[in-house]
Amino acid sequence: MRADGPPTQGDRPGSRTRARQERAMGNQETIVSDAPRRSRRRSEGGPPEPPGPPTKKGGGDGKGGWRRFVPSWKILVAGFVVLAAGLFGMIMVAYANTPVPTADQAKADALAQQSTIYYRDGKKEIAQLGTKREIVPISKMAQSVRDAAVAIENDTFYEDSGISIPGMFRAVFKTATGQQRQGASTITQQMARNYYDGLSQEVSIKRKVMEIFVAVKLDETLSKDQILENYLNTIPFGRAYGVEAAAKAYFGDSATAAKLTPEQGAYLAARIQQPAWEPDAPALKARWTTVIDYMSKQWPDRYGQLPKTAKFPKLRKNDNANELGGIKGYMVMQVLQELKERGLTPDAVRSGGYHITSTFDRKLMLAAQAAVKSTTGSMSKEYHAGLAAVNPKNGRILAFYGGTDYITDPFNEPFDAKKQAASAFKPYVLAAWLQAGYSLKSYVPGNETVPKELPGQAVGGFKNSHNVGKAVDVVKATADSVNTAYVSMAYKLPGQLDDVKNLVESAGFNQQRMEDDVKTHSYQFAIGSALVTPVEQAAGYSIFANEGKYTKYHVVQEVKLGKQVVYGEQRAVKKVIDPGVAADATVAMEQVLRSGTAAGKGLGSRPAAGKTGTNNDEKEAWFVGYTPQISAAVGFYREECRTKSGKVVQPVHSNCPVTPRGKASTKYGNENPYTKPYEVSLGFEGAGPPTLTWQKFMTLAHEGLPIEQFPKRAEVGLAENIVPSPTPTVSKTPDNPFDSGDNPFDNGDNQDCLVGPCDGTTPDDNPTIDEPGNGDPGDGDGGDNGFPQTADGDGVGGGRAPDPRPSGWSPLARPEDR
């Protein structure tokens, strides 16, 4: 026993630890000796195999921690191979499924050609619109322009397979270093992008891949000459698309793609990269020099001396810079507007290669311009005039005056200016009167209305500017423009104002405007409170010149694509009044030019009829008149341009200046204009400049035309005296209704004439308008300066003309008038 304590277990002889070690050793030997026989045979004749790696407790491969998640390199290689194979397979499938584009898939823009608008003869051009392009075969393209394009855009064009990988990398490098000379895309890729649907111009990987696929397939399908031909026929050169049109645009009308010199061919090729360059921009000249240099290096046998001899080509002036300049812009825009309403958009017109025959007569367009300018020449730019002329037999607008220059003043007066019709509206009341079965022999109120008070009248009732007596017949009421007579006639109609409203809507006036005016002004509607345009008036009076029929006014005769008519003429015809009604209404309006408000301003021996019109304070003045061949309307109004402080500023190009003197301004702009228009008095009436302008135009317009007579008086209806006749018995109406000798109320005075032999009397074309301020619903008090905010209709209207009443005895006539 040890003194320091009991012995430890490890110190004991024959301990369990040693025994386990020994047993372990014995077991190990036994395991080794009992190894599989396969190992023992393999060891025969050679060294024994080394022992395997130690294993961790619980099994495993010996990796621990994060390493167990890292795949072996064998797995990585296998995965990459599978992925690459799959990606390659997807690319091959996508390529195989890419269809070869055909001509039918060509983009409209790529092969678009100009459309041409003609005057009504179908020969004289008004304007060419849209893309300038002529498609020509490669055989009609000079070798030099082909070589120039290849040299600067794709020098490996004849060798590559439609794409150029080196070219793409080279373009990236040169772009980054500021040395860009050639595009990354080959000519085949550019052609595919410009020519075929599905390849947008946006920069994206998807578009680029698609472009590559199409380019490769095209290169397999088309010859190099076919690809180059399509390319040079479709790319933009600035003034024009395609090499043929570009040759004419830059080098003259006699130039063609076949006749281009090497210098000219190099010039066009230089424009491909930046079509918007100015014709002689320094950068363009530098690129032209580069094209010449590339041509000489690529084809030294053809162009080796060109860098030494080449001179920058002489360019033509761009005399067709604006297709809308002058009066042609007004015609073009009206044609485009009408076609748009029929489903042919302006963009489609500009790219479709259409031949459009308008209704405009060149001689009459110039006559309209001359007539207006001769009258307004001494007036300030505050005065605005619109003229429209229509063929009453077919609704074709023959001529109009919209302004001097569409570019500086795009507001088209006869189509856009909506002003009160004033007394020029009265003939529609006359037509409704006759259509209702009443006659021209009827006596109607002179000095005051019947009834005395009517809805819509101003304080004091409806008035005239001169004394015409207690009663006048309908002819004199028309000739002298008697307000009280016409308001009373409208009230006497079976349907009252509805009869008039339905009639004018049937005659082409905007339905919404007519309905709104009746609601707002009631019986002022009968004497012209409604807003109308000159072209509506010219077409509306066609019912009197064309036996009661109205044809929707229009400006397009036909649209052809090649030899096929794709849009015919729109000629919707509607019977509005009876022929006899039209004939008798004409009888009354002839008197306006013979002895009435416009006496002495007719067309000489040529029969003509019409009506003056003047609004309150002479803010709007009209004359609308016709012959059997032409119906024309002339309207005037005046606008002052005022600043917020009330200062009056003269218009610029007939427009109120948005900025002082039309110069750039940080203070003023469209949202805060420097001046605004205010409608003011013209200082004259309808019998003045409007009638004189009409007379000048109609005289010019009828030169060379045969004289046609109006139909004879039809004597429709029966007398319906709203007031008692001025004598115990009604005298027989003379065979000549204009023989005033038998009319006791014709005192020989011209009661409503301003210019000419007027005998010092004053006219009366003034409807009494019940409005705040100066009493004119078009005076700007409402913020719209007389222009309605409602949308226009289609020009035919939705109204129904009153049903006719038979001539002869009618219960409507009183016994003493039978």
Side-chain angles (χ1 to χ4, degrees), residues 317-491:
K317 287 185 62 177
N318 190 14
D319 53 1
N320 294 319
N322 204 314
E323 65 197 17
L324 300 178
I327 65 172
K328 66 181 181 180
Y330 300 102
M331 291 185 278
V332 167
M333 296 310 293
Q334 286 309 131
V335 167
L336 292 179
Q337 177 62 32
E338 182 170 309
L339 291 177
K340 181 180 179 181
E341 293 172 357
R342 298 184 64 182
L344 187 61
T345 66
D347 286 345
V349 171
R350 293 176 185 278
S351 62
Y354 296 101
H355 286 231
I356 303 166
T357 303
S358 74
T359 62
F360 307 128
D361 185 290
R362 184 172 183 272
K363 172 190 170 184
L364 300 191
M365 286 295 298
L366 295 176
Q369 183 182 41
V372 173
K373 283 192 169 184
S374 66
T375 306
T376 61
S378 60
M379 299 178 184
S380 78
K381 294 178 181 179
E382 295 175 344
Y383 289 81
H384 300 266
L387 182 154
V390 175
N391 183 333
K393 294 181 174 64
N394 53 33
R396 295 176 181 174
I397 298 177
L398 299 173
F400 66 92
Y401 177 79
T404 302
D405 186 358
Y406 180 83
I407 301 303
T408 58
D409 183 19
F411 190 81
N412 193 338
E413 296 291 351
F415 289 87
D416 299 335
K418 302 174 182 67
K419 300 295 180 180
Q420 287 185 314
S423 292
F425 198 77
K426 290 174 181 174
Y428 304 113
V429 179
L430 173 61
W433 175 265
L434 297 172
Q435 187 77 4
Y438 308 141
S439 77
L440 293 177
K441 299 176 182 178
S442 305
Y443 279 88
V444 291
N447 289 338
E448 61 180 29
T449 61
V450 175
K452 190 172 183 178
E453 293 185 5
L454 286 168
Q457 68 181 28
V459 177
F462 290 97
K463 300 293 183 181
N464 304 310
S465 62
H466 56 279
N467 185 354
V468 295
K470 292 183 178 181
V472 290
D473 64 23
V474 172
V475 173
K476 185 167 180 62
T478 304
D480 285 358
S481 195
V482 180
N483 291 335
T484 50
Y486 267 89
V487 173
S488 301
M489 289 164 64
Y491 184 82

Side-chain angles (χ1 to χ4, degrees), residues 655-710:
N655 300 308
C656 288
V658 175
T659 60
R661 295 177 296 278
K663 297 182 179 180
S665 172
T666 57
K667 181 179 180 181
Y668 297 103
N670 291 328
E671 299 299 324
N672 181 36
Y674 175 59
T675 63
K676 291 183 179 180
Y678 291 85
E679 197 163 342
V680 296
S681 176
L682 286 162
F684 54 75
E685 299 191 350
T691 303
L692 293 175
T693 302
W694 176 88
Q695 183 186 44
K696 291 175 183 178
F697 168 75
M698 293 291 272
T699 299
L700 293 171
H702 284 83
E703 286 181 352
L705 295 181
I707 294 178
E708 292 186 15
Q709 302 295 328
F710 288 125

Side-chain angles (χ1 to χ4, degrees), residues 480-550:
D480 285 358
S481 195
V482 180
N483 291 335
T484 50
Y486 267 89
V487 173
S488 301
M489 289 164 64
Y491 184 82
K492 184 63 177 178
L493 291 172
Q496 298 187 323
L497 289 180
D498 282 344
D499 282 357
V500 182
K501 181 179 71 68
N502 289 336
L503 188 148
V504 295
E505 288 172 3
S506 295
F509 289 89
N510 177 263
Q511 183 175 1
Q512 190 63 54
R513 272 190 269 129
M514 300 303 106
E515 291 178 355
D516 290 346
D517 193 77
V518 170
K519 291 177 183 177
T520 302
H521 297 117
S522 195
Y523 276 87
Q524 294 175 40
F525 179 74
I527 54 175
S529 60
L531 301 174
V532 300
T533 66
V535 72
E536 285 177 325
Q537 280 285 63
Y541 271 48
S542 293
I543 65 173
F544 305 115
N546 190 35
E547 298 181 335
K549 296 187 292 291
Y550 169 79

Side-chain angles (χ1 to χ4, degrees), residues 784-807:
D784 61 4
N785 291 308
F787 296 93
Q789 305 302 313
T790 56
D792 279 354
D794 62 2
V796 175
R800 185 180 66 84
D803 293 328
R805 297 192 180 218
S807 299

Side-chain angles (χ1 to χ4, degrees), residues 27 31 63 68 74 110 160 192 293 314 347 373 386 434 446 533 551 605 629 680 683 774 812:
N27 291 339
I31 293 172
K63 291 184 180 181
R68 71 178 64 187
K74 295 180 181 180
D160 63 39
D293 184 51
K314 183 179 180 180
D347 286 345
K373 283 192 169 184
L434 297 172
T533 66
T551 304
S605 60
Q629 293 112 315
V680 296
N774 57 21
L812 292 172

Side-chain angles (χ1 to χ4, degrees), residues 202-212:
E202 66 180 7
V203 178
S204 68
I205 294 177
K206 178 181 177 182
R207 192 271 296 167
K208 199 67 178 178
V209 171
M210 184 67 176
E211 178 186 301
I212 291 172

Side-chain angles (χ1 to χ4, degrees), residues 210-261:
M210 184 67 176
E211 178 186 301
I212 291 172
F213 285 174
V214 172
V216 172
K217 283 227 169 183
L218 286 173
D219 193 74
E220 294 176 352
T221 307
L222 303 178
S223 69
K224 291 293 185 180
D225 279 353
Q226 287 176 311
I227 291 172
L228 190 59
E229 176 183 302
N230 288 340
Y231 176 72
L232 291 175
N233 271 321
T234 57
I235 55 175
F237 289 98
R239 290 180 183 174
Y241 281 71
V243 66
E244 179 75 5
K248 291 179 169 59
Y250 290 104
F251 308 122
D253 292 335
S254 61
T256 64
K259 298 178 182 178
L260 290 172
T261 66

